[in-house]
Amino acid sequence: MQKPKILVTGGAGYIGSHTALVLLEAGYEVVVLDSLINASRESLRRVQEIVGRELVFIEGDVRDRACLDRLFGDHDIYAVIHFAGLKAVGESVEQPLAYYDTNVGGSLTLCRAMHAAGVFRLVFSSSATVYGPDAPVPYRESMPRGRTSNPYGTSKSIVEQTLEDLVHADGRWSVSLLRYFNPIGAHPSGRLGEDPQGVPNNLLPFIAQVAVGRRQALTVFGNDYATEDGTCVRDYLHVMDLAEGHVGALNRLGQAGLHIYNLGAGKGLSVLQMVEAFERISLRPIPYHFAPRRDGDLAAFWADSQKAEQELGWRAKRGLDDMIADTWRWQRQNPHGYRSEINVKSQGTSKC
Ligand code: NAD
Ligand code: UFG
């Protein structure tokens, strides 16, 4: 039996492209909507090449209601996985309007278009950041949302609250809020991975660019935190595990209501532990120096992911060595990301 069609907004990006691949492998039909503001269509060409199946790609903006109406008119969509958004914390402080416009405005427009099309199943990309600085670790879904310290985090929190209100107001909706911890890694083929534009904000892409010789040294933000080695502790999980979590969440959408899940590995690792592991696996030195703390960073947090295990049958299966080996394979094979193949024409593409 043919599996249903899923709309993946932001599906050309880092997590979206890995999820599109996992969906295709699981037999789903996939329609990707992406403005390509932070992605390359090359990622989707490679997804199709790896899986040996085609998806539909529509270049368009999730804030464009007419585009969404056309899309829902042309495709019989069963559910939407909504990745599209802006995600750089520092940039969100400088450009709050852009972040609220895309992350909040885009989500509202999407929900209105879904409502008009009679599609009421939604998986939303949220973040561990919604727990805020005062939540005790490990974070559990039963804890309330906390204060946020930047417009990016606030935008995620506002969308969560909006979706919660929507579910309460209209019993037809089934919404999963997936709170990601720190996704890293890449597809084991080395063909798909994270391709940040400019200077990477996140730790692993920065370390990988040092290892491959694109950057001289890592700046470690803060070595005076109350952690074992003084550097921040995070819960890193493999992007393929995270992608698989979305398939689990889709199955849960059969049931109306709000479903909240942490997707994390449940284990905290420090910045210096990540550096050491990268050096051990890549056999490359990672020079680093300490600098003052980065604004808004919390000392340590990790997930309690038991709820996802019990209700979705999901847990992070891949370990640290796999995460780093896969990151390194991707970086080594694609030292400049997708850029060298950016002009490759892909099939099945249309503009909105
Ligand atoms: P990404 O930037 O690689 O992917 C986002 C995609 O959305 C990109 O392909 C971009 O081109 C697209 N996009 C942006 N604005 C758009 C718009 N207006 N219309 C259509 N497409 C648009 O980021 P990612 O790491 O894959 O993150 C995916 C989602 O997960 C985001 O919502 C992000 O906030 C969330 N998230 C990411 C992390 C992380 O550490 N990567 C952690 C928690 C949550
Ligand atoms: N770090 C460095 N040097 C760098 C980059 C990062 O020392 O060049 C440190 C940070 O200070 C932090 C740790 O590495 O201690 C991890 O930082 P990341 O930027 O990789 O990840 P964050 O935990 O800050 O943020 C990520 C996502 C956010 C999301 C948050 C919580 O980028 O979108 O996880 O889920 F909100």
Side-chain angles (χ1 to χ4, degrees):
M1 202 185 68
Q2 202 176 351
K3 286 217 173 155
K5 206 178 254 191
I6 311 298
L7 169 61
V8 183
T9 75
Y14 173 46
I15 307 170
S17 57
H18 288 80
T19 303
L21 180 144
V22 169
L23 289 170
L24 287 173
E25 278 180 337
Y28 288 95
E29 301 294 312
V30 174
V31 177
V32 167
L33 174 74
D34 199 301
S35 66
L36 299 181
I37 192 171
N38 195 37
S40 148
R41 64 186 56 189
E42 173 63 10
S43 64
L44 294 176
R45 196 189 67 75
R46 293 188 185 186
V47 165
Q48 296 172 91
E49 183 187 274
I50 294 166
V51 185
R53 285 190 60 208
E54 290 197 355
L55 51 73
V56 174
F57 173 53
I58 298 163
E59 185 179 340
D61 197 300
V62 75
R63 293 165 297 178
D64 180 348
R65 175 67 192 270
C67 169
L68 290 172
D69 287 345
R70 260 197 309 280
L71 191 160
F72 283 115
D74 290 347
H75 299 277
D76 182 14
I77 300 292
Y78 170 78
V80 179
I81 305 182
H82 179 36
F83 292 105
L86 303 177
K87 63 162 186 175
V89 172
E91 187 183 67
S92 80
V93 175
E94 289 153 21
Q95 302 174 33
L97 295 183
Y99 274 69
Y100 292 122
D101 189 35
T102 297
N103 295 2
V104 180
S107 300
L108 297 184
T109 305
L110 175 66
C111 288
R112 287 205 185 92
M114 288 175 67
H115 182 272
V119 178
F120 294 103
R121 299 182 192 91
L122 175 66
V123 177
F124 175 63
S125 295
S126 191
S127 165
T129 198
V130 300
Y131 287 103
D134 304 319
V137 289
Y139 292 166
R140 294 198 175 84
E141 295 86 344
S142 53
M143 294 171 180
R145 279 184 290 275
R147 290 186 281 125
T148 48
S149 51
N150 56 73
Y152 168 76
T154 309
S155 74
K156 291 291 175 192
S157 196
I158 292 174
V159 176
E160 279 207 359
Q161 182 65 58
T162 306
L163 294 174
E164 200 174 317
D165 293 343
L166 186 59
V167 165
H168 287 145
D170 184 340
R172 289 173 297 181
W173 282 90
S174 177
V175 174
S176 283
L177 308 178
L178 301 186
R179 295 176 177 163
Y180 310 158
F181 284 67
N182 288 59
I184 60 169
H187 187 264
S189 64
R191 301 281 293 150
L192 281 188
E194 187 168 11
D195 183 20
Q197 316 289 307
V199 181
N201 295 303
N202 298 117
L203 181 65
L204 258 287
F206 202 108
I207 293 179
Q209 291 192 9
V210 172
V212 85
R214 274 177 70 180
R215 307 198 180 269
Q216 283 195 329
L218 170 72
T219 303
V220 176
F221 300 125
N223 61 346
D224 57 351
Y225 286 98
T227 60
E228 215 160 283
D229 62 23
T231 65
C232 290
V233 167
R234 292 289 180 274
D235 181 344
Y236 297 93
L237 82 159
H238 199 296
V239 67
M240 290 298 293
D241 280 328
L242 181 57
E244 288 165 10
H246 291 74
V247 179
L250 274 185
N251 298 334
R252 185 87 173 129
L253 287 181
Q255 206 177 323
L258 187 74
H259 315 287
I260 307 181
Y261 298 104
N262 287 339
L263 296 183
K267 186 175 172 214
L269 292 165
S270 75
V271 174
L272 292 185
Q273 284 174 317
M274 297 306 282
V275 170
E276 281 158 21
F278 210 101
E279 287 184 320
R280 174 170 57 76
I281 285 166
S282 68
L283 303 176
R284 300 278 174 106
I286 310 292
Y288 64 85
H289 55 263
F290 292 116
R293 295 178 177 198
R294 186 170 71 175
D295 261 2
D297 274 346
L298 301 183
F301 61 85
W302 58 92
D304 178 332
S305 282
Q306 282 184 60
K307 188 169 177 234
E309 180 151 13
Q310 283 158 7
E311 295 185 12
L312 307 179
W314 177 90
R315 72 186 165 79
K317 297 193 295 268
R318 296 158 178 92
L320 177 64
D321 286 12
D322 283 338
M323 296 185 221
I324 294 196
D326 291 338
T327 304
W328 178 228
R329 187 177 308 103
W330 153 255
Q331 187 70 70
R332 214 177 48 226
Q333 292 180 15
N334 307 269
H336 297 281
Y338 294 117
R339 251 151 301 236
S340 52
E341 296 187 53
I342 211 153
N343 293 319
V344 178
K345 208 169 180 309
S346 73
Q347 290 178 330
T349 298
S350 61
K351 277 213 176 199
C352 214

